[in-house]
Amino acid sequence: MVAEQSTFTPRKPPVSFEEGLPRHWLGGAAVPTHVANAVNLLFPAGERFFIRSVARYADRIHDPALRAQMKAFFGQEGHHAKAHERFFELLREQGYEIDRFLRAYERVAYDGIERLCSPELRLSVTAALEHYTALMAEGALSAGTLDTAHPTAKALLLWHAAEEIEHKTVAFDVLKTVNPSYSLRIRGFALATLTLAMFWIAALVVLLPQELGRGERAPRRDFKRRHSVLKNVFLRGLREYVRRDFHPSQNDNFHLAKAYLAEIGAA
């Protein structure tokens, strides 16, 4: 099944990294900034895992529309990985030690998930993680979660969010073509949920202690923000993805991506 959003294209990030980034770029507060920083640390290696998992089955896909979507998907995810590595440079300039975490994260991801799981399970994990990223993207574009973000981070994340929505069906459609097994889909979803939560928390545990001695406190709204991640990403993702008839296109949020890309002249 190829969703209505049949055409999209890779774009370079509309971001001026030269403007820099304040240490607490989201609302001037440490906790929400690091909740966002933590998931950002997962993106480059994750995006490349997605590309490899989908590309593994390129010769099994004969639908011209889906093949075109796959090509654009590879381009978009490649741009995302490179852009977030530029974001890492800004974090390093702020004095954050992130490289030990990144090395450990990639080692666990590659030696654990990639080497031990079958290609079909890796594809299933990718489809599930793409559902989670599409939910995060919807929140970024519709719920005002980035309203208080610094322009550099805001431009990066909204561009990324729009493209995540554009290509949110690709990995799922490849999985349905390769192996439509519900059991495989749910096993991939369970592994995706476990690893996303584990790595996100681990990154947060690395970042937050680096604020010690700076007098930072977590106001109540910060805890509310983290609760919204649990509710609007993880719990909603579970509720939707376990339906046997689920397809990513059932979440009608393509218009959010179109509106934002039109706003920045990148439609």
Side-chain angles (χ1 to χ4, degrees):
M1 175 180 179
V2 177
E4 292 180 6
Q5 182 76 355
S6 58
T7 60
F8 50 89
T9 185
R11 306 171 185 85
K12 292 183 179 179
V15 183
S16 176
F17 290 100
E18 288 71 22
E19 292 183 7
L21 194 69
R23 189 175 180 91
H24 301 148
W25 55 262
L26 187 54
V31 173
T33 296
H34 288 314
V35 169
N37 281 342
V39 74
N40 274 271
L41 291 181
L42 310 183
F43 283 141
E47 309 280 12
R48 293 177 176 126
F49 170 81
F50 297 167
I51 292 171
R52 291 191 297 273
S53 298
V54 173
R56 171 71 172 70
Y57 291 100
D59 61 349
R60 298 270 298 272
I61 304 302
H62 305 295
D63 181 335
L66 183 53
R67 287 183 64 85
Q69 287 187 353
M70 290 169 66
K71 183 178 180 180
F73 169 82
F74 299 149
Q76 287 189 340
E77 296 290 51
H79 282 316
H80 297 170
K82 292 177 182 178
H84 282 278
E85 286 173 339
R86 293 286 305 280
F87 183 83
F88 291 174
E89 294 174 11
L90 300 181
L91 296 182
R92 293 183 183 104
E93 289 172 6
Q94 294 168 359
Y96 292 111
E97 167 50 55
I98 59 174
D99 291 296
R100 281 179 292 181
F101 168 80
L102 291 173
R103 287 192 296 269
Y105 161 53
E106 293 187 21
R107 185 167 58 250
V108 172
Y110 293 149
D111 293 345
I113 299 173
E114 195 145 11
R115 292 187 180 181
L116 298 180
C117 294
S118 69
E120 286 190 350
L121 185 56
R122 296 199 298 268
L123 179 60
S124 181
V125 168
T126 296
L129 288 172
E130 282 289 298
H131 179 53
Y132 278 131
T133 56
L135 293 180
M136 287 186 249
E138 180 180 321
L141 289 167
S142 66
T145 56
L146 295 174
D147 284 353
T148 60
H150 183 271
T152 297
K154 187 174 183 179
L156 171 65
L157 296 176
L158 290 181
W159 160 75
H160 189 165
E163 292 198 344
E164 286 297 324
I165 287 176
E166 281 191 312
H167 68 231
K168 67 178 181 173
T169 66
V170 175
F172 193 93
D173 286 335
V174 173
L175 178 64
K176 291 284 284 185
T177 301
V178 169
N179 187 341
S181 164
Y182 178 74
S183 173
L184 173 63
R185 169 151 65 96
I186 294 304
R187 282 187 285 122
F189 178 74
L191 182 55
T193 303
L194 176 64
T195 53
L196 175 60
M198 177 183 71
F199 287 133
W200 197 340
I201 292 170
L204 191 58
V205 167
V206 166
L207 290 167
L208 279 178
Q210 296 185 54
E211 296 297 333
L212 293 178
R214 297 177 180 273
E216 291 296 332
R217 296 181 180 273
R220 186 173 300 176
R221 69 175 185 276
D222 292 358
F223 292 102
K224 183 178 181 181
R225 189 186 300 271
R226 284 184 286 169
H227 178 263
S228 71
V229 170
L230 176 63
K231 177 182 177 182
N232 297 329
V233 176
F234 285 99
L235 294 183
R236 179 183 169 190
L238 172 64
R239 185 173 65 252
E240 294 178 350
Y241 207 80
V242 297
R243 296 199 312 264
R244 285 186 174 271
D245 65 345
F246 171 77
H247 187 272
S249 62
Q250 292 165 354
N251 286 336
D252 185 14
N253 50 22
F254 289 121
H255 64 283
L256 298 174
K258 290 180 180 178
Y260 176 73
L261 292 169
E263 179 183 326
I264 64 171

